[in-house]
Amino acid sequence: MSEDKQSSTHFGYKTVATEQKADLVADVFHSVAAKYDIMNDVMSFGIHRLWKRFTIETAAARPGMKVLDLAGGTGDLTAKFSQLVGDKGEVVLADINDSMLKVGRAKLRDRGIVGNVNYVQANAEALPFPDNHFDIITIAFGLRNVTDKDKALRSMQRVLKPGGKLLVLEFSKPQHELMRKVYDLYSFKVLPKMGDIITKDAGSYEYLAESIRMHPDQETLKQMMIDAGFEQVDYTNMTDGVVALHKGYKF
């Protein structure tokens, strides 16, 4: 990797110093944390719930398992995993952003989800967990915000048990030209206006739209997971590839 590539990275469509990106992304999520759930429903017309349900089904968590919900935000996946792994299991909701973590913790505690859930502020690139620790790792709509995605994938592979699986749910590349055009129009014209109305923060939603376009497409992410040491990697497109669920195993 060249000196130039190491010293700069993308923040949406902007090029910024690598060491700046984490702080810039943090500012976005500090800004949107309180209204994050509302915006998810509005932005996706509620379809994000179906994408997450499919992720949960694919994870196939069982009683007693240890699950890491990385970039877990407001805890949608953690809530379901908590039920599935039971009293003898453990779910760790990890997020780099303390505002998101606080919203998630308050939401889950309000719903009585306590006991088998722990909350950890963590950077995906350097996960603070032992080797071979988790049965399942999920990262939903979080990988695109990570500065060094390859490093993060290697870190996830390290803390996953042999036989464990990683699930990456992320916005991806629509498969058909018409869907791409509609999606672009929606992302760059409608979405920032929604953000402005609901959160008084159009800029953060412009970044989120741009970050989706800068994220690796389906085949590129598949290869990145293979390069990080995952095996039997495949993916499922949903909503014509607007979102893809990538799955890989550690053996």
Side-chain angles (χ1 to χ4, degrees):
M1 188 179 282
S2 72
E3 182 77 24
D4 189 50
K5 281 185 181 173
Q6 287 180 326
S7 62
S8 66
T9 189
H10 291 290
F11 175 73
Y13 288 164
K14 300 183 184 74
T15 299
V16 299
T18 298
E19 62 271 16
Q20 278 186 294
K21 179 168 177 174
D23 289 338
L24 291 168
V25 171
D27 289 343
V28 168
F29 284 93
H30 286 313
S31 173
V32 304
K35 297 282 181 70
Y36 189 74
D37 283 339
I38 296 169
M39 277 302 293
N40 272 352
D41 277 328
V42 172
M43 283 185 332
S44 72
F45 308 102
I47 300 171
H48 76 100
R49 296 173 186 274
L50 300 178
W51 298 332
K52 289 172 181 172
R53 186 183 303 165
F54 181 70
T55 303
I56 293 287
E57 289 169 358
T58 304
R62 299 190 303 278
M65 282 187 164
K66 290 181 178 170
V67 179
L68 173 61
D69 181 12
L70 189 54
T74 56
D76 285 349
L77 295 182
T78 291
K80 190 62 182 171
F81 281 132
S82 172
Q83 296 171 3
L84 293 170
V85 303
D87 294 342
K88 291 190 168 66
E90 179 192 16
V91 186
V92 176
L93 195 167
D95 203 294
I96 196 171
N97 187 278
D98 66 307
S99 293
M100 295 291 286
L101 213 52
K102 285 171 184 168
V103 170
R105 183 165 51 206
K107 175 176 148 186
L108 296 189
R109 286 181 175 174
D110 283 349
R111 291 171 56 184
I113 298 170
V114 293
N116 64 355
V117 176
N118 291 308
Y119 301 87
V120 176
Q121 188 170 358
N123 185 336
E125 296 174 23
L127 292 169
F129 305 111
D131 294 358
N132 308 315
H133 188 70
F134 292 102
D135 298 285
I136 298 166
I137 299 175
T138 58
I139 179 165
F141 306 115
L143 187 61
R144 72 181 189 281
N145 297 309
V146 174
T147 303
D148 190 334
K149 296 172 182 59
D150 294 308
K151 189 175 180 183
L153 289 169
R154 290 195 300 273
S155 186
M156 291 176 222
Q157 201 267 356
R158 178 185 65 79
V159 303
L160 201 59
K161 288 180 183 176
K165 74 178 84 163
L166 168 67
L167 297 170
V168 181
L169 180 65
E170 189 54 89
F171 292 107
S172 203
K173 185 176 179 181
Q175 298 301 285
H176 295 93
E177 185 62 28
L178 178 60
M179 177 62 100
R180 283 199 282 271
K181 287 179 177 173
V182 170
Y183 189 44
D184 277 345
L185 179 69
Y186 173 72
S187 299
F188 293 107
K189 301 297 183 186
V190 179
L191 191 56
K193 285 188 172 65
M194 283 185 183
D196 191 33
I197 292 165
I198 295 172
T199 68
K200 302 291 185 277
D201 184 4
S204 288
Y205 285 91
E206 286 172 5
Y207 158 72
L208 292 172
E210 291 173 3
S211 71
I212 290 166
R213 295 311 183 281
M214 299 305 294
H215 186 68
D217 65 15
Q218 288 91 328
E219 285 295 325
T220 305
L221 179 55
K222 178 180 177 179
Q223 188 58 51
M224 288 167 68
M225 289 175 65
I226 292 167
D227 292 345
F230 291 96
E231 297 182 47
Q232 294 183 12
V233 179
D234 62 11
Y235 59 86
T236 303
N237 283 320
M238 293 179 273
T239 318
D240 195 54
V242 167
V243 163
L245 178 65
H246 282 69
K247 176 174 66 175
Y249 293 87
K250 175 179 176 177
F251 293 124

